[in-house]
Amino acid sequence: MKSIRFALAFGLVILISACGEIFGPTYRSQLGYIDQTFSQPISIPDSVAAKTDFTVSFRTSGGGCMKQGDTKVAMIDSRTAEIRPYDDRVVNPTSCTANIEFYSHTATLRFAQSGNATVRLISAYNDSTITITRTVVVR
């Protein structure tokens, strides 16, 4: 009886261990990493027309255990937008390659009133959170 329980327990451990290989890795979303030492450009227009969509684009970076995630936009008020890029990291990887990968993120924004508007890009950098701020003239 003990040997049957042991065999069942051992089989269950093997089955659970193989789940990652069978069903693929599990990812956890985290704030995207922007390394300013690589001079990664943030493409944002200096001026835009009121009530017209415009695009902000930039890149985050990661390694072999990551993939590109979502980009979230929040309007703080009528003249301030916050953009947060997210990338997905493998939870408990068996191994990761040491390569550096870049992930392109875009966000579509619109300001309704003319005047100066603020765009904040909030990302991760060196184990902390940074905010990159740009001013856009809305005409």
Side-chain angles (χ1 to χ4, degrees), residues 12 21 30 38 112-113 116 126 130:
L12 184 59
E21 298 298 323
Q30 66 183 40
F38 285 139
Q113 300 173 343
N116 288 340
N126 284 344
I130 63 167

Side-chain angles (χ1 to χ4, degrees), residues 27-90:
Y27 288 90
R28 178 179 57 85
S29 185
Q30 66 183 40
L31 199 55
Y33 184 82
I34 294 183
D35 188 345
Q36 295 178 319
T37 60
F38 285 139
S39 299
Q40 296 177 28
I42 299 167
S43 176
I44 183 168
D46 293 329
S47 66
V48 297
K51 300 179 185 176
T52 303
D53 289 351
F54 66 96
T55 302
V56 175
S57 61
F58 54 93
R59 296 187 312 172
T60 58
S61 60
C65 280
M66 298 198 63
K67 68 178 184 176
Q68 181 173 334
D70 295 330
T71 305
K72 302 207 176 178
V73 175
M75 295 304 294
I76 304 306
D77 57 39
S78 64
R79 295 184 187 271
T80 308
E82 287 185 349
I83 304 169
R84 295 175 193 259
Y86 289 91
D87 294 322
D88 300 327
R89 175 180 294 280
V90 175

Side-chain angles (χ1 to χ4, degrees), residues 1-22:
M1 189 68 164
K2 283 186 177 181
S3 61
I4 292 175
R5 277 192 254 158
F6 177 77
L8 288 173
F10 183 74
L12 184 59
V13 167
I14 296 297
L15 182 62
I16 291 171
S17 299
C19 283
E21 298 298 323
I22 295 170

